[in-house]
Amino acid sequence: MDLTYTPEEEEFRVRLREWLAKALPELPARPDPLDWPARRAYDLGWQRRLYDAGYGSLHWDASPTQRLIFLEETELAGAPYVGANFVGLLHAGPTIAAEGTDEQRARWLPPILRGEAVWCQGFSEPDAGSDLAALRTRAVRDGDDYVITGQKTWTSHAEIADWCELLVRTDPEAPRHRGISWLAMPMDAPGITVRPLRTLAGPAEFAEVFLDEVRVPVANRVGAEHDGWRVTMVTLSFERGTAFVGEVVACRRTLGGLARTARVNGRWDDPVLRRRLGRLNAEFTALWRLIQWNVGAAGAAGGTPGAGGSVFKLRYSQARQELYDAAAEVLGTAGALDADQEWTAARLSSLSYTIAAGTSQIQRDIIAERLLDLPKGR
Ligand SMILES: Cc1cc2nc3c(=O)[nH]c(=O)nc-3n(C[C@H](O)[C@H](O)[C@H](O)COP(=O)(O)OP(=O)(O)OC[C@H]3O[C@@H](n4cnc5c(N)ncnc54)[C@H](O)[C@@H]3O)c2cc1C
């Protein structure tokens, strides 16, 4: 696969770089990380600016290479990350674009792109995380509505979300993978209770969501009734395959900064640490190449990243943890416990990456079964 960019693509990069140089200095100050409504407003405001400048739909509505250039340049320029728009832009939106009807695309995609709607993901349940097909939240058909009762957990951004990509069991008699449906649920529907969960890293990023006879129109179902598992595989392949792509660029920036700090504070004299930073640099460079390959292959195969994303997710989430371990060593105890706690928070939250979007063990199972064609272990 040819990974070099065409002159047109390089021209796109230059134009974007120029636009970012003008737009970023005009941005308001970043909000307090504990203030979720302010973070919502900030992230939606940035998305609106991207939309107005014609860059709003690059996450799913552009050539794979343009998308990579966009992610690379916005990160290199230090632009805000997707933040509260994570689910909408990086996996609910792409799923609706790939699997929704024309009417559904027209209804839900423009508000995501214009920075008017935040989405969350209601997949995990107390007894259905890695074994997602064990989910028990029930949806019973009543006329033109589903009536939904159950509980979701670990729902990131539930407190500030307008919509939820929700998995429900529509046929309790069918084999586990066959009786599930994928719905778009408005978060202001009566019967929804959101209880924030605090984490090791501090701010209440996610929540438990209780559903008590919540009515959702049948028209909000994406894909056929009981065919939600197939739609879910599309969502997860975006979530694992492309959603963390921009963060790799951020990690490379962080690593560069650490190497500079090590030179200044004397840690660079330690050959073991130097080798560790060098290995991480090689690792993130290789991950970026893997992304280029995966995204290119997905483009050629009609847009869905497939199980190849699991290879990236497995290695990226581990490399990110190793990066923040190395950071603690470069900065030492005093530096790692900096006054604004930024490094501490980043290190603590890096621990969650080998769990969120499917644990490393589950990614290994997927790679073994779907890519290496090894026999099922269970
Ligand atoms: C920061 C963060 C944000 C998240 N946001 C969301 C969200 O917005 N929406 C959402 O729906 N979910 C979200 N999740 C949930 C996440 O998808 C689940 O935590 C994850 O899928 C693991 O499920 P579990 O926590 O139930 O662990 P379990 O499934 O109980 O697993 C516990 C341990 O057993 C291992 N294990 C389980 N089964 C196997 C097996 N067959 N083979 C080998 N090992 C196995 C797992 O790897 C893990 O180490 C989030 C999680 C995190 C950490």
Side-chain angles (χ1 to χ4, degrees), residues 248-329:
V248 172
V249 187
C251 285
R252 288 175 83 179
R253 246 169 34 120
T254 303
L255 187 61
L258 281 180
R260 282 192 293 280
T261 305
R263 283 199 178 89
V264 173
N265 73 8
R267 296 292 287 124
W268 193 250
D269 296 336
D270 177 350
V272 176
L273 179 69
R274 261 199 333 261
R275 197 172 312 129
R276 198 166 162 189
L277 295 179
R279 200 183 53 71
L280 275 169
N281 188 39
E283 187 87 52
F284 282 112
T285 306
L287 276 167
W288 183 252
R289 285 291 181 195
L290 177 62
I291 286 165
Q292 288 183 303
W293 194 89
N294 267 350
V295 171
T304 309
S310 289
V311 179
F312 167 73
K313 162 65 171 68
L314 175 67
R315 197 48 219 146
Y316 166 63
S317 54
Q318 287 168 352
R320 188 182 176 100
Q321 287 180 2
E322 289 162 23
L323 171 69
Y324 283 100
D325 284 350
E329 214 176 298

Side-chain angles (χ1 to χ4, degrees), residues 164-304:
C164 178
E165 52 173 6
L166 186 77
L167 293 187
V168 291
R169 188 160 294 288
T170 35
D171 183 356
E173 308 303 327
R176 303 181 332 141
H177 296 87
R178 304 236 177 91
I180 292 171
S181 297
W182 194 112
L183 306 180
M185 175 177 78
M187 288 299 284
D188 60 357
I192 301 178
T193 306
V194 176
R195 283 199 207 140
L197 292 166
R198 265 183 84 77
T199 69
L200 184 68
E205 176 179 314
F206 43 35
E208 294 177 295
V209 178
F210 298 88
L211 306 165
D212 182 14
E213 302 204 340
V214 180
R215 295 188 85 88
V216 171
V218 173
N220 287 19
R221 193 188 63 234
V222 173
E225 189 168 52
H226 315 318
D227 192 30
W229 189 253
R230 192 189 54 76
V231 184
T232 303
M233 291 304 109
V234 174
T235 309
L236 293 181
S237 83
F238 284 117
E239 187 177 0
R240 294 164 183 168
T242 50
F244 296 108
V245 167
E247 296 187 20
V248 172
V249 187
C251 285
R252 288 175 83 179
R253 246 169 34 120
T254 303
L255 187 61
L258 281 180
R260 282 192 293 280
T261 305
R263 283 199 178 89
V264 173
N265 73 8
R267 296 292 287 124
W268 193 250
D269 296 336
D270 177 350
V272 176
L273 179 69
R274 261 199 333 261
R275 197 172 312 129
R276 198 166 162 189
L277 295 179
R279 200 183 53 71
L280 275 169
N281 188 39
E283 187 87 52
F284 282 112
T285 306
L287 276 167
W288 183 252
R289 285 291 181 195
L290 177 62
I291 286 165
Q292 288 183 303
W293 194 89
N294 267 350
V295 171
T304 309

Side-chain angles (χ1 to χ4, degrees), residues 123 125 128 131-137 152 167-169 180 229:
F123 282 15
E125 298 187 6
D131 187 12
L132 186 56
L135 67 91
R136 286 190 303 205
T137 292
K152 296 289 167 179
L167 293 187
V168 291
R169 188 160 294 288
I180 292 171
W229 189 253

Side-chain angles (χ1 to χ4, degrees), residues 121 123-124 129-130 154-156 206 352 355-356 359 361 365 378:
Q121 180 190 44
F123 282 15
S124 305
S130 301
W154 314 130
T155 317
S156 305
F206 43 35
S352 69
I355 303 171
T359 65
Q361 289 88 339
D365 271 0
R378 62 205 139 83

